[in-house]
Amino acid sequence: MLQSCPSSAKNLCRKLVRVLPPTLNKATATTRPVCDVFINHRGIDTKRTIAGLLHDHLFRLGLRPFLDSQSMKPGDRLFGKIDPAIRNCKLGVAIFSPNYCDSYFCLQELALLMENKKRVIPIFCDVKPSQLRVMDYGTRSAEELGRFKWALEEAKYTVGLTFDTLTGDWPEFLNSATKAILNNLVELGASNPSKNRTYILQGRK
């Protein structure tokens, strides 16, 4: 399904390469972030579709996307890996889906992204922003509910992408999402080159 990276994305990749430091040796490579792009998603809805395909698309371009099923191994503590990835990533992608708000982990990750002032690109997959609500099932504290509602509202009022998995054009969507991610990384790198370096050496095959 995935084709080679279109010319527009290749041009964006070249721009990202230009925000590299003049030299990149083994010593500097070890300072790379845990991930460039953190993919926040509800596994039962999107892991085998949008989240998984987007992760592979970004990985093939040489980025370091974080997706729990790909970036973690048996025995890893969830927040021991996820929290540092969120704190050190450059960009978050929140894939909202019908069952997203039922997940404590999805909302917790989203709240951490917002609290760490990360730029987040929302993707509304088979769901409208107005349909997303944090529900009180009596298992969450008032403080947690407040955090989750605030984070969700912040994301809902951010310009994002929409996609219908039944009728949408998959290649077109993946290319559009990738272009949006690369554009944001270029912008972040240009606004603060000393902190926002994206290490793309070459595309992976």
Side-chain angles (χ1 to χ4, degrees):
M1 179 182 289
L2 295 181
Q3 304 298 318
S4 59
C5 182
S7 58
S8 59
K10 287 181 179 178
N11 290 334
L12 288 169
C13 288
R14 294 190 187 101
K15 290 182 181 179
L16 284 170
V17 171
R18 287 199 287 271
V19 304
L20 281 166
T23 60
L24 180 64
N25 53 35
K26 290 182 179 179
T28 57
T30 60
T31 65
R32 292 176 64 185
V34 176
C35 71
D36 298 302
V37 182
F38 185 91
I39 301 175
N40 166 244
H41 71 295
R42 183 73 198 271
I44 61 173
D45 289 339
T46 62
K47 192 181 299 294
R48 294 183 179 181
T49 55
I50 284 183
L53 291 171
L54 187 58
H55 172 277
D56 291 347
H57 211 43
L58 296 174
F59 183 81
R60 290 179 186 182
L61 290 177
L63 285 168
R64 290 163 60 92
F66 187 99
L67 184 68
D68 53 8
S69 61
Q70 299 293 327
S71 306
M72 299 178 67
K73 63 183 186 299
D76 284 343
R77 294 184 64 83
L78 283 174
F79 293 118
K81 287 284 186 177
I82 290 173
D83 286 11
I86 290 174
R87 286 196 300 270
N88 293 298
C89 74
K90 293 176 175 55
L91 183 70
V93 174
I95 303 176
F96 295 108
S97 55
N99 297 297
Y100 180 96
C101 289
D102 293 333
S103 170
Y104 167 85
F105 293 103
C106 287
L107 294 169
Q108 170 68 8
E109 290 171 4
L110 183 64
L112 285 174
L113 284 165
M114 295 302 181
E115 288 164 355
N116 281 275
K117 303 186 185 304
K118 300 297 180 179
R119 185 178 298 189
V120 174
I121 298 175
I123 296 176
F124 300 100
C125 174
D126 298 330
V127 69
K128 297 178 181 178
S130 60
Q131 295 173 309
L132 295 169
R133 293 185 181 87
V134 177
M135 304 301 293
D136 183 2
Y137 297 112
T139 59
R140 297 166 181 167
S141 67
E143 181 181 359
E144 262 188 344
L145 286 171
R147 286 178 65 232
F148 294 167
K149 288 179 179 179
W150 165 77
L152 186 61
E153 289 302 306
E154 288 290 307
K156 284 166 64 174
Y157 290 99
T158 301
V159 177
L161 303 169
T162 61
F163 187 65
D164 186 316
T165 56
L166 294 179
T167 62
D169 185 319
W170 283 91
E172 181 182 349
F173 167 75
L174 288 169
N175 287 330
S176 296
T178 300
K179 184 177 180 181
I181 290 167
L182 294 175
N183 272 324
N184 275 273
L185 288 172
V186 169
E187 189 175 314
L188 288 168
S191 64
N192 196 343
S194 64
K195 291 185 178 181
N196 294 294
R197 300 188 190 280
T198 299
Y199 298 94
I200 300 182
L201 301 182
Q202 59 184 8
R204 298 187 178 98
K205 298 180 180 179

